Amino acid sequence: DSVLRQLMESCWVHSPEDRPTFVDVEARLARATRTFEASTFRRLYAALAGRAEPISYEELLVGVKGLILEHAQRHGISAHDANIYFNVVRDNTLLAAAHGQHGADAVNELLRDPARLAVRMYTTAETLPANSPNDGRELCSILNETLREDKPTHAIIFTRALNSFCVTGRTPGSLPVRWPPGNEVWRGGALPAEHHHFFTVGKTFRVPSFLSTSATQATADQFMQGRGMHNGRPAYVRWTIRFDASRRCNHVNFISVHDGSLAPGGLNAPGANPHVAREDEFLFAPYSVFTIISVLFRDHPTSEQPHEIVLRASVDNLLELMSLENAPWV
């Protein structure tokens, strides 16, 4: 079940269009040899986490803008389009933060809580125009691609701000976390056949990007219905992630605010409130550790009968080996 064996078999499939390109081969080999221990992310994040001064709103904006411009350059998108997209994300975030506030309270989040602003940016439904009208990318997708490729120079501030919104280790007097019923969350999407070999019962691994999950299976399944095809083929998968019943998880964020971009009519819609979560969404930090409890691969997965993989979330990433394999896909 090694990465090299799977890559070799991918290269000799019958149909030429189904074989990986040399660019794909290079990327898959690079991912196979990359670990948290050897990552650029670990080095930059440790330096930032050890800094005495907190992250400022200005730093957050510079980092997010650099992240968007770098992504645009990599994918052949004009700097003009990238700057427009950044301005939309920024403006939505600030308007949402000030929504319903008056006087000094309208700028309180801007001045004192960049972590909450980062969460609003991460939740945006606005997309960056790409080479075709239907190929736009949300900011969360742009950030996660950068983290997976371990090119985090512009992503590190954004990531640190998001992680500092963590649901555990809050200051005394904070509101209690609303953990999901049954201590389970779900994620729906696609899992291409070339990655099935990695997911075997008992394996422990890291996910080298943020991982969004929902406290309701119906929400995850709805997402799966829209994202379950891969290269024109059904690859539907439902992930179930279980927390420890008593200790839960030290590195997952509860997303409690948003930027208003998903609601019809945005912030002007009746009853719109960007200070209340749209759903019970739990966001795992980059390089979170999971162990595979069970796997069910179907010959012909559908949205009603998808592949099913059950994972156990580590209680604390700091207690896990830094040399664990990175998942090629989750």
Side-chain angles (χ1 to χ4, degrees), residues 62-92:
V62 169
V64 170
K65 186 171 186 178
L67 173 69
I68 292 170
L69 286 168
E70 182 185 58
H71 175 86
Q73 185 178 35
R74 270 202 317 268
H75 292 274
I77 302 169
S78 72
H80 174 75
D81 283 347
N83 278 306
I84 290 176
Y85 177 65
F86 167 74
N87 290 339
V88 170
V89 171
R90 179 200 61 198
D91 293 354
N92 283 354

Side-chain angles (χ1 to χ4, degrees), residues 5-328:
R5 172 178 173 163
Q6 183 63 31
L7 180 57
M8 178 175 67
E9 291 178 351
S10 298
C11 289
W12 71 38
V13 296
H14 181 72
S15 301
E17 63 271 16
D18 292 333
R19 300 172 197 152
T21 66
F22 279 107
V23 172
D24 294 332
V25 170
E26 266 196 325
R28 286 168 66 173
L29 287 174
R31 285 194 296 268
T33 57
R34 194 178 295 144
T35 65
F36 175 59
E37 185 174 35
S39 66
T40 303
F41 175 90
R42 176 174 169 257
R43 176 173 54 82
L44 295 182
Y45 195 88
L48 182 60
R51 200 180 71 174
E53 61 272 20
I55 291 171
S56 68
Y57 166 64
E58 291 83 3
E59 283 183 294
L60 177 62
L61 281 189
V62 169
V64 170
K65 186 171 186 178
L67 173 69
I68 292 170
L69 286 168
E70 182 185 58
H71 175 86
Q73 185 178 35
R74 270 202 317 268
H75 292 274
I77 302 169
S78 72
H80 174 75
D81 283 347
N83 278 306
I84 290 176
Y85 177 65
F86 167 74
N87 290 339
V88 170
V89 171
R90 179 200 61 198
D91 293 354
N92 283 354
T93 297
L94 296 183
L95 288 170
H99 185 74
Q101 309 287 354
H102 302 283
D105 290 338
V107 294
N108 187 57
E109 194 171 305
L110 170 66
L111 297 178
R112 298 181 177 85
D113 202 350
R116 189 173 294 267
L117 292 175
V119 172
R120 293 190 192 278
M121 290 186 180
Y122 188 86
T123 66
T124 186
E126 302 287 351
T127 58
L128 174 61
N131 295 323
S132 67
N134 299 320
D135 195 28
R137 301 286 294 276
E138 295 178 359
L139 184 58
C140 60
S141 178
I142 293 171
L143 173 61
N144 281 333
E145 178 187 289
T146 301
L147 294 175
R148 284 193 299 270
E149 297 302 321
D150 197 30
K151 299 175 180 177
T153 301
H154 296 292
I156 208 74
I157 293 284
F158 192 14
T159 301
R160 176 64 178 168
L162 284 168
N163 282 349
S164 65
F165 199 69
C166 206
V167 298
T168 55
R170 289 176 183 257
T171 55
S174 298
L175 292 175
V177 176
R178 188 167 68 246
W179 290 97
N183 292 309
E184 287 186 330
V185 290
W186 289 270
R187 177 178 174 85
L191 179 61
E194 61 263 30
H195 299 304
H196 288 189
H197 72 96
F198 181 88
F199 297 97
T200 56
V201 174
K203 177 176 287 187
T204 299
F205 61 91
R206 291 183 184 266
V207 174
S209 61
F210 283 100
L211 188 70
S212 296
T213 63
S214 175
T216 59
Q217 183 179 321
T219 300
D221 285 355
Q222 184 179 10
F223 188 85
M224 174 180 60
Q225 290 170 9
R227 304 290 182 91
M229 299 291 289
H230 181 74
N231 291 338
R233 297 180 178 178
Y236 299 94
V237 64
R238 179 191 298 128
W239 306 87
T240 302
I241 302 175
R242 295 175 180 168
F243 296 119
D244 182 276
S246 58
R247 296 177 294 166
R248 306 245 172 57
C249 182
N250 290 347
H251 46 265
V252 67
N253 294 312
F254 178 72
I255 303 301
S256 60
V257 296
H258 58 90
D259 77 333
S261 58
L262 264 183
L267 293 175
N268 296 319
N273 186 356
H275 309 307
V276 176
R278 291 188 301 251
E279 59 168 299
D280 283 357
E281 179 182 354
F282 289 83
L283 182 67
F284 288 89
Y287 292 96
S288 287
V289 175
F290 302 92
T291 299
I292 301 171
I293 299 174
S294 66
V295 176
L296 173 61
F297 288 128
R298 302 183 190 276
D299 292 335
H300 304 287
T302 65
S303 57
E304 291 76 27
Q305 291 189 311
H307 303 310
E308 296 187 60
I309 301 179
V310 180
L311 307 175
R312 181 176 63 250
S314 171
V315 173
D316 191 337
N317 284 335
L318 294 177
L319 303 178
E320 305 290 349
L321 293 173
M322 291 191 291
S323 58
L324 290 171
E325 286 184 271
N326 287 340

